Amino acid sequence: MKIIFMGTPDFAVASLNILVENGYEIAGVITAPDKPAGRGQQLSQSAVKKYAVEHNLKVLQPEKLKNPEFLSELKSLDADLFIVVAFRMLPEVVWNMPALGTFNLHGSLLPQYRGAAPINWAVINGEKETGVSTFFLQHDIDTGNIIFNAKTEINDEDSAGSIHDRLMLIGADLVLKTVQAIQNNEVHAVPQEQVIANLGLNGTDLRHAPKIFKDDCKINWNQPTETIFNHIRGLSPYPTAFTELNGLTLKLFKTEKEINSHTQSPGSFLSDGKKYLKFATQNGFINVLDLQLQGKKRMSVEEFLRGYRL
């Protein structure tokens, strides 16, 4: 079976690697074009391209997925199956090309959290579990028939970063399981509408995972402690929740929650100037553990307080 793999960031590398390690023929790897990055604006390769080059895999980097030359070259590779992990939306002319179809690995338990940022939103919304799903692509994004899923718990110590790393490995195993099932003609994909009906849900019960913008990252201290705590860890380490401290942007990476009645105005802070810094919420405090002040590196709260007078 010849496979075309499509992906860009680190999250996709584990899935590509498990296919290579299990001896599957990767006819080509499709990834994002190199982009200028850093102060010198040197061209930077995607994590998937770096892996592909190291393993002598054919790499295609189309600017436009409907480009006739790209489509012609893609067709000439004569692959049986396309696999998509953390890539962009595909036009039908691409996902409809292989005989065995195109499946995608998505970072949620579909049909919940369709969209660009499923891991972030699951943590932000205080979910106790999440997972990954494989599904066949169809017209509407993230709505195709589900092949398999796998779950993991979300606990208070988790952030979007730790869930990302866990799902990256769980997802790779699921990709391999899915390929093996397709190869053995053992797939019984289930329409998402059927899953929704079986769970007794309707359209309004589904949670979505849209792209996160800067305004989504600003902390609203006039909220319950639990809500703010989930918001911060759901955006850590990227794109990162932030507030303002003496007119400067303060990013918060790791915090603890403290439910406590008080008379402080939400958003005001308390500190001993040595070991703790905490911000008042509607019903308690958020104790800051890891932070980054505008123009400075990320550091612990103790490091910060040693060098900054509040």
Side-chain angles (χ1 to χ4, degrees):
M1 183 165 63
K2 293 170 70 176
I3 294 170
I4 295 287
F5 185 89
M6 305 185 187
T8 296
D10 285 328
F11 189 85
V13 173
S15 294
L16 177 55
N17 181 59
I18 205 168
L19 295 172
V20 171
E21 286 188 341
N22 280 272
Y24 284 96
E25 182 182 353
I26 308 299
V29 173
I30 318 298
T31 191
D34 298 349
K35 293 181 179 178
R39 290 184 179 178
Q41 290 293 284
Q42 298 286 322
L43 283 178
S44 175
Q45 299 177 348
S46 74
V48 164
K49 181 180 178 180
K50 288 176 183 175
Y51 178 91
V53 170
E54 287 168 5
H55 290 79
N56 298 312
L57 301 176
K58 183 178 180 63
V59 177
L60 298 177
Q61 296 177 275
E63 288 282 354
K64 295 181 179 179
L65 296 175
K66 290 183 179 180
N67 181 297
E69 290 179 7
F70 164 68
L71 292 174
S72 177
E73 186 169 10
L74 187 60
K75 194 167 186 178
S76 72
L77 295 175
D78 196 29
D80 305 291
L81 177 69
F82 290 179
I83 300 173
V84 182
V85 182
F87 195 55
R88 50 186 150 150
M89 189 174 176
L90 300 184
E92 183 176 358
V93 67
V94 172
W95 59 256
N96 207 23
M97 191 179 290
L100 296 177
T102 300
F103 80 81
N104 180 229
L105 174 72
H106 186 72
S108 80
L109 298 172
L110 290 171
Q112 296 287 11
Y113 294 104
R114 297 166 176 164
I119 295 173
N120 300 99
W121 285 109
V123 180
I124 289 169
N125 289 334
E127 301 288 358
K128 299 303 181 187
E129 71 171 13
T130 186
V132 282
S133 307
T134 51
F135 68 96
F136 285 115
L137 263 65
Q138 61 184 39
H139 286 286
D140 294 328
I141 193 166
D142 298 336
T143 61
N145 295 353
I146 297 171
I147 308 168
F148 295 123
N149 61 39
K151 298 178 180 180
T152 188
E153 291 183 355
I154 303 176
N155 57 53
D156 277 0
E157 287 71 45
D158 278 316
S159 65
S162 65
I163 295 295
H164 168 281
D165 293 349
R166 204 145 75 232
L167 290 184
M168 178 172 64
L169 301 178
I170 295 171
D173 288 336
L174 200 67
V175 164
L176 179 61
K177 178 181 177 181
T178 303
V179 170
Q180 291 169 339
I182 291 171
Q183 189 174 27
N184 297 326
N185 197 26
E186 296 172 349
V187 169
H188 305 286
V190 180
Q192 290 193 37
E193 293 76 14
Q194 185 178 323
V195 176
I196 293 168
N198 291 345
L199 294 172
L201 303 175
N202 58 48
T204 58
D205 296 319
L206 295 183
R207 290 188 155 181
H208 299 282
K211 185 177 178 180
I212 292 172
F213 295 96
K214 186 175 180 180
D215 285 350
D216 299 314
C217 300
K218 188 169 185 179
I219 299 168
N220 176 5
W221 297 107
N222 286 294
Q223 290 183 312
T225 305
E226 185 82 20
T227 301
I228 297 171
F229 175 71
N230 291 338
H231 181 241
I232 292 167
R233 65 197 184 100
L235 295 171
S236 179
Y238 184 82
T240 324
F242 71 91
T243 187
E244 285 193 355
L245 182 68
N246 296 335
L248 296 174
T249 298
L250 183 70
K251 293 182 176 181
L252 304 186
F253 293 93
K254 189 175 182 182
T255 62
E256 291 177 335
K257 56 185 175 181
E258 179 185 334
I259 309 297
N260 194 348
S261 59
H262 60 77
T263 58
Q264 300 290 321
S265 59
S268 62
F269 64 84
L270 298 175
S271 176
D272 63 354
K274 295 179 180 179
K275 290 192 174 293
Y276 76 83
L277 170 64
K278 59 184 183 180
F279 287 86
T281 69
Q282 193 183 85
N283 65 336
F285 295 94
I286 291 292
N287 288 291
V288 181
L289 302 179
D290 272 5
L291 72 166
Q292 182 178 13
L293 188 65
Q294 183 178 330
K296 304 291 183 181
K297 66 175 185 176
R298 178 177 172 175
M299 63 186 78
S300 69
V301 69
E302 290 91 348
E303 288 176 297
F304 171 72
L305 291 173
R306 277 200 298 268
Y308 187 85
R309 283 184 176 274
L310 291 171

